[in-house]
Amino acid sequence: MTYEILAVGLVGLFTTMSVLIGAYVGLFYSLPERLLSGILAFAAGSLIAALAIDLSYDGAEALLTQGFGLRLAWITMASGFALGAIIYYVASVFLESHGAALRFRRRLMEYTRLTATKPADARIGMLAKCALLKHLNPDDLKLLLPHMQTRQHQAGDTIFRAGDSGDTLHIIVEGSVDVEDTNGHALATLGPGEVFGEMALIDGRRRSATVIASGAATFLEIDKAGFELLAEKDEALRGEIHELARKRSLANLKGSNADHSLWARIYHAAQGKSGMPGETAEVSKGKGIGLAIIFGNILDTIPGCLVIGAKFSSFDNMSATLMVGMFLGGIPESAASATLLKRAGYSTAAVYRMWSTVILAGVVSAIAGKLFISDPDSLFAIVMQAIAAGAILAMVSHAMIPEAIHKGGSISVMPVVLGFLFALYLAIEEAQMRKTEPGTTSSGYHEEGMQPVITGHRLDYTRASA
């Protein structure tokens, strides 16, 4: 028994050690989002196959061999899946309310939308639509109200010209504007939620471009004092303004008609001053949110490792499809979280320590699965595996596939299918290996002389007649 515990612990270790690979990638490299999306989608497809073949079907078959009717077997498995999904959902909502939603960009956007409170001042609602300010709460945005004015402009109105003095930032609420350089060449067209005038705040000199209203437009004009007040309170805002100025000046610098000396000066003024992205600002506010992110990843790890441990009997008979899905899925998830934690100020050693807890949770869960829910003749074990499977399915549909599509687009459905087909091949190969083992039944149990007989809606095992 000691050997089996050590063996299943190693299996859990191998399955979850991919999170360290992902953490290393997130800390020191910047892989294309489409690549990470493809890996996540492939892992999701593999997990779906494991749920369909290794868990739901095998569990129902085991219930049938114990004398359950077809409908009762289905109801039992369905109830287990539903309970597991509910447990996962409740736990994930709780952790997301404490900061775990920051793990996934799509989940953060959804959580922010669902929990946003209606601002008391209509102008706060306008500010919240700005991409630079959307991560701030209404109390922070209220600081801008004494430093802000609403401006109305008609088509063709010049907001300001290149060379004008200026120390205000403009946010477009409605309408659009055309931005031109000192020679009258078009640089960009900006619409609702976008800002302009940030160059003067960064460079401290006169306006570097001319801005003209394309049509009737409404703007929020924030003076420099208001911007400095908010930037002092929220370092992420200052960083994003510098990053925006850097990107725009670099784009203008590459233009064939660009005033190279002007945009080079602004680029160097902004270079190296960009701070944390808005989505990481919340992480920097307290260690509790960083821990919530890790607990969120532990929540994703436990159900799969429980089943892996429960299904383990030897190194020649493991849940390969489930292990592949868990292993691959851990890489993009840990990479995204590690990048987030690094930007929030966590040290490399701290990130590795936090991810080690995920591995420890995986090992412990695999051992617990082997000890408590591995008996194929136990109704309790079968139901518990169904509950864990429901949690895995909820995790795939709640986080993995939506995040993969959010990052990689609709093309991400192809890796999902490829992952499913790959896992299906592994399952078929495993089934073939079982058939070649002497005295093995269709369920994988070694019962000499036992043959499956289907009667009505039930599957019974009876001894073959001589």
Side-chain angles (χ1 to χ4, degrees), residues 140-320:
D140 290 334
L141 294 176
K142 285 180 182 178
L143 297 175
L144 291 176
L145 295 181
H147 303 273
M148 183 172 63
Q149 295 184 13
T150 303
R151 304 290 189 187
Q152 302 284 341
H153 290 277
Q154 300 302 316
D157 287 355
T158 299
I159 314 303
F160 55 72
R161 295 186 179 277
D164 290 349
S165 60
D167 56 359
T168 54
L169 180 71
H170 300 259
I171 300 174
I172 304 174
V173 177
E174 296 178 350
S176 61
V177 299
D178 295 321
V179 184
E180 301 177 351
D181 64 14
T182 53
N183 297 319
H185 298 117
L187 295 175
T189 297
L190 306 178
E194 295 188 276
V195 303
F196 60 93
E198 79 286 348
M199 299 293 191
L201 295 178
I202 299 300
D203 189 55
R205 303 191 186 187
R206 295 182 177 274
R207 298 293 190 187
S208 54
T210 298
V211 178
I212 302 173
S214 305
T218 303
F219 310 98
L220 295 177
E221 186 179 276
I222 302 172
D223 62 32
K224 187 172 184 179
F227 170 77
E228 293 292 342
L229 177 65
L230 192 57
E232 182 179 352
K233 179 179 176 62
D234 191 314
E235 183 64 26
L237 175 61
R238 182 183 294 275
E240 289 197 359
I241 285 289
H242 280 84
E243 179 66 11
L244 177 63
R246 185 189 68 82
K247 289 182 177 179
R248 286 182 175 176
S249 58
L250 181 61
N252 295 335
L253 184 62
K254 293 178 179 179
S256 58
N257 298 311
D259 183 343
H260 291 80
S261 61
L262 172 64
W263 298 117
R265 171 171 53 79
I266 296 175
Y267 174 82
H268 288 296
Q271 176 71 11
K273 295 182 181 180
S274 55
M276 297 178 295
E279 64 188 33
T280 63
E282 291 296 327
V283 186
S284 65
K285 293 181 180 179
K287 296 297 181 182
I289 292 180
L291 291 176
I293 292 175
I294 295 301
F295 279 123
N297 288 297
I298 289 176
L299 175 65
D300 293 346
T301 300
I302 290 176
C305 287
L306 275 173
V307 176
I308 287 173
K311 293 291 186 179
F312 179 83
S313 59
S314 69
F315 287 111
D316 294 330
N317 185 16
M318 299 183 294
S319 298

Side-chain angles (χ1 to χ4, degrees), residues 18-29 31 36 103 297 329-342 351 355 407:
S18 62
V19 298
L20 290 183
I21 299 174
Y24 179 82
V25 170
L27 288 170
F28 301 107
Y29 295 95
L31 295 183
L36 294 176
R103 294 183 300 149
N297 288 297
I331 294 176
E333 183 174 341
S334 58
S337 297
T339 301
L340 192 65
L341 293 171
K342 178 183 178 182
V351 172
W355 277 110
K407 288 183 176 180

